[in-house]
Amino acid sequence: MAVLVIADHDGSTVRDTTHKTVTAALAIGGDVDVLVVGQGSKAAADAAAKISGVRKVLLAESGELAHTLAEAVTATVVGLAGGYDAVVSPATMDGKNVMPRIAAKLDVAPISDIIEVVSADTYVRPIYAGNALETVQTSDAKKVITVRATSFAPAAEGGSAPVEAVAGQDAGKAAFVSEEMVKSDRPELGAAKIVVSGGRALGSAEEFSAVIEPLADKLGAAVGASRAAVDAGYAPNDYQVGQTGKVVAPGLYVAVGISGAIQHLAGMKDSKVIVAINKDADAPIFQVADFGIVGDYKTVVPELMAALG
Amino acid sequence: MKVLVPVKRVIDYNVKARVKADQTGVDLANVKMSMNPFDEIAVEEAVRLKEGKEHHAAGTASEIVVVSIGVTQAQETIRTALAMGADRGILIQSDADLEPLAVAKLLKAVVEEEKPDLVLMGKQSIDGDNNAVGQMLAALLDWPQATFAAKLEIAGGKATVTREVDGGVQTLSAPLPAVVTVDLRLNTPRYASLPNIMKAKKKEIAMKAVADYGVDVAPRLKVQKVTAPPTRSAGIKVADAAELVSKLKTVGAL
């Protein structure tokens, strides 16, 4: 048995999601190799080599792989897949983009967003916005799996795996035009220990910044938002927590002015402690909150800031 | 340009799914079903490509074909798309809940028959939450893919797509034919008007069977069980911020 993990990285470091995916890969069993794809990513490969339990790191660099477009990454991974029983990636936007393409090229059924490895061929994954958990057994010889990183503990540092260069493939279909990344000094939403999220009740982008961001900064938290707040333009798209946004499971999740629709709960109900601040005592968010305050955020949040000292 | 839009009949997004007591699946008896919300966005964008709404040139799409794979009642889902402005429908009847690989193979067969220039579809269905069919279809056709589209422009035989990615947005350009999967922020789908609902009844829906396509749809995955997620123990309401902070410190959350 051998498992290939596709690393989530920024060129110089590997993200926490990679460590968590290595944990899932080790649970599947066998030797675990990590593939780092992307031009100029030697530093990220060196970082991946330090993850405990990794046998070796494969580094695929080429100009075409600079923006990890699905066609080129698929061709690269399919070229390596012969040596592996499973190909695993975190269920990031990149992972979701590329893994089903790889699965189809290999003629296997992909298994999306697993939260538990039962055995080498059996996995648990949420369906219906997390309202049901499905245990599936695959009959495919090769497995293609994305991992919900928040459901696994990160693999420790302390390894010293060798880094090998492998050929990057070009598939020459789509072409990169541009990208625009949201700049933030706060912790990354998916990996933060505390998340403060705002909803529609905030009423405007100015109010969202004025209320949610200072509270997040006080707590050293990442900022999240409900779909309603994102749709209304109060917060950028990639702040969205929910079924179709990011799935988070921090130690503390503070929901301010969020009613708690099914789609939002799908993205945060595995948080360890949930706090809800909402003036509607009947809001569904109170059904999952460990601690709730019924009140207007305009008075509650300043009081909370004061109480935090 | 011909546009193919695959649509799926799913549990209505406002309904909380309940797991059957025998753990064989989710109880869909007497539950409200609707078009998958992402598919509505795909249909809306196709219709805008035809009408020339927003930034699209009128007539960018000349024909919109909607295809669904599922039970007989999925005709209603196709009718909804026809009432929104699609031209005709295809229903591939299947009582089995087909896996994304099988769906992608059937859609590939439909693409080979219909020869669309663009397949526009939802990024995921809200029941299976797989987020896979579009990517798999693109792979099987060896077409470029642009997933999670927040903006779509068609010009000069190319689709320029702004995609939602972790940390921001990415724009890429793909030669047609291509598969584009849509994200929530691409558009706001219209409601079908009563006259359009009446007109949609006269539009053609071709009824097909899985067997018509000679595709292997045998399942690769065996569902061993479907269970309810662990429930959270009931929380408490606290009186004020000071009490909240003290409780959070007690449980070690701060």
Side-chain angles (χ1 to χ4, degrees):
Chain A
M1 281 280 289
V3 182
L4 183 65
V5 171
I6 303 177
D8 178 23
H9 68 93
D10 63 5
S12 49
T13 59
V14 284
R15 297 196 179 93
D16 180 55
T17 46
T18 305
H19 293 73
K20 291 171 173 171
T21 305
V22 166
T23 300
L26 290 166
I28 295 170
D31 296 317
V32 174
D33 294 351
V34 175
L35 172 66
V36 173
V37 174
Q39 182 66 7
S41 298
K42 176 73 169 69
D46 291 340
K50 296 197 178 78
I51 302 174
S52 196
V54 173
R55 177 177 65 171
K56 64 180 174 186
V57 175
L58 308 177
L59 173 61
E61 291 186 288
S62 75
E64 288 81 11
L65 291 173
H67 299 288
T68 60
L69 296 185
E71 294 81 7
V73 176
T74 298
T76 303
V77 174
V78 168
L80 296 168
Y84 295 93
D85 302 285
V87 181
V88 182
S89 136
T92 55
M93 295 296 261
D94 267 354
K96 291 174 183 176
N97 184 39
V98 75
M99 295 298 273
R101 192 171 178 107
I102 293 167
K105 290 287 187 194
L106 298 171
D107 192 36
V108 308
I111 306 174
S112 303
D113 218 14
I114 64 160
I115 59 170
E116 187 188 332
V117 177
V118 178
S119 70
D121 66 357
T122 306
Y123 304 89
V124 181
R125 57 180 299 267
I127 52 175
Y128 289 89
N131 286 305
L133 304 178
E134 178 184 67
T135 304
V136 290
Q137 182 177 27
T138 176
S139 57
D140 286 319
K142 216 177 278 292
K143 288 106 190 147
V144 176
I145 296 166
T146 59
V147 172
R148 177 172 289 196
T150 54
S151 297
F152 295 86
E157 295 276 325
S160 57
V163 177
E164 267 173 35
V166 293
Q169 304 278 332
D170 175 24
K173 296 275 185 200
F176 173 81
V177 177
S178 63
E179 67 185 4
E180 208 175 309
M181 294 298 161
V182 177
K183 287 184 183 64
S184 174
D185 297 330
R186 295 197 184 85
E188 204 190 329
L189 184 53
K193 291 187 172 61
I194 303 178
V195 173
V196 177
S197 279
R200 181 163 33 201
L202 275 304
S204 71
E206 294 71 31
E207 186 77 352
F208 191 96
S209 307
V211 173
I212 300 299
E213 291 179 5
L215 179 58
D217 291 341
K218 181 140 245 168
L219 290 164
V223 175
S226 69
R227 180 187 165 191
V230 171
D231 279 353
Y234 305 165
N237 297 346
D238 73 317
Y239 281 24
Q240 188 184 327
V241 171
Q243 182 184 17
T244 65
K246 289 205 172 64
V247 175
V248 300
L252 174 61
Y253 187 90
V254 183
V256 180
I258 292 177
S259 64
I262 294 169
Q263 294 76 19
H264 185 74
L265 301 183
M268 46 62 81
K269 68 180 177 178
D270 292 329
S271 304
K272 193 154 179 287
V273 176
I274 297 172
V275 169
I277 299 168
N278 203 302
K279 64 180 177 189
D280 175 9
D282 297 323
I285 192 78
F286 286 117
Q287 290 163 23
V288 300
D290 299 281
F291 303 109
I293 297 184
V294 180
D296 191 336
Y297 75 85
K298 286 182 178 151
T299 50
V300 176
V301 172
E303 282 169 16
L304 181 55
M305 296 279 285
L308 287 165
Chain B
M1 183 180 75
K2 187 171 178 178
V3 182
L4 183 74
V5 186
V7 297
K8 187 177 185 184
R9 177 181 184 264
V10 298
I11 190 168
D12 187 86
Y13 75 98
N14 280 315
V15 176
K16 189 174 178 210
R18 300 210 180 276
V19 170
K20 287 189 208 168
D22 65 1
Q23 300 195 338
T24 55
V26 164
D27 193 355
L28 296 177
N30 303 315
V31 167
K32 187 184 178 205
M33 306 292 279
S34 303
M35 191 191 302
N36 182 43
F38 293 98
D39 305 350
E40 287 187 342
I41 294 168
V43 172
E44 173 66 32
E45 196 70 11
V47 175
R48 289 183 187 192
L49 282 166
K50 190 173 182 189
E51 294 174 338
K53 287 252 167 62
E54 304 284 325
H55 53 276
H56 301 307
T60 304
S62 50
E63 187 185 23
I64 302 165
V65 181
V66 174
V67 56
S68 193
I69 303 166
V71 293
T72 312
Q73 295 92 313
Q75 279 181 94
E76 296 158 18
T77 311
I78 295 175
R79 288 277 170 224
T80 304
L82 297 176
M84 288 172 73
D87 296 296
R88 61 185 169 88
I90 301 168
L91 173 62
I92 305 174
Q93 283 179 280
S94 167
D95 288 332
D97 193 10
L98 298 177
E99 292 171 3
L101 181 61
V103 171
K105 287 179 176 180
L106 284 167
L107 291 178
K108 175 179 185 254
V110 173
V111 165
E112 283 165 352
E113 210 167 76
E114 293 287 338
K115 301 192 169 47
D117 303 284
L118 177 68
V119 178
L120 203 50
M121 56 194 292
K123 75 164 178 179
Q124 77 189 65
S125 63
I126 60 164
D127 52 359
D129 278 337
N130 281 294
N131 195 329
V133 173
Q135 295 90 315
M136 298 183 85
L137 175 62
L140 295 176
L141 291 164
D142 207 22
W143 285 8
Q145 70 185 49
T147 52
F148 323 142
K151 189 179 180 195
L152 169 69
E153 287 177 307
I154 304 278
K158 282 193 306 190
T160 303
V161 180
T162 301
R163 309 175 53 232
E164 307 228 352
V165 296
D166 288 324
V169 292
Q170 177 194 63
T171 301
L172 56 79
S173 162
L176 297 177
V179 176
V180 174
T181 76
V182 309
D183 216 318
L184 282 172
R185 267 163 293 279
L186 182 63
N187 62 46
T188 305
R190 70 192 64 192
Y191 290 102
S193 66
L194 188 59
N196 285 341
I197 292 170
M198 300 310 288
K199 273 187 231 163
K201 291 187 175 165
K202 296 203 177 71
K203 292 180 180 174
E204 178 208 340
I205 299 179
M207 301 295 280
K208 301 278 192 176
V210 170
D212 295 342
Y213 293 93
V215 167
D216 173 18
V217 295
R220 305 293 184 84
L221 305 176
K222 184 173 169 232
V223 177
Q224 290 186 331
K225 60 177 177 177
V226 175
T227 55
T231 49
R232 295 185 72 95
S233 50
I236 55 165
K237 293 211 172 107
V238 296
D240 56 33
E243 188 187 348
L244 175 63
V245 170
S246 107
K247 293 275 187 202
L248 289 176
K249 283 183 176 153
T250 310
V251 299
L254 282 180

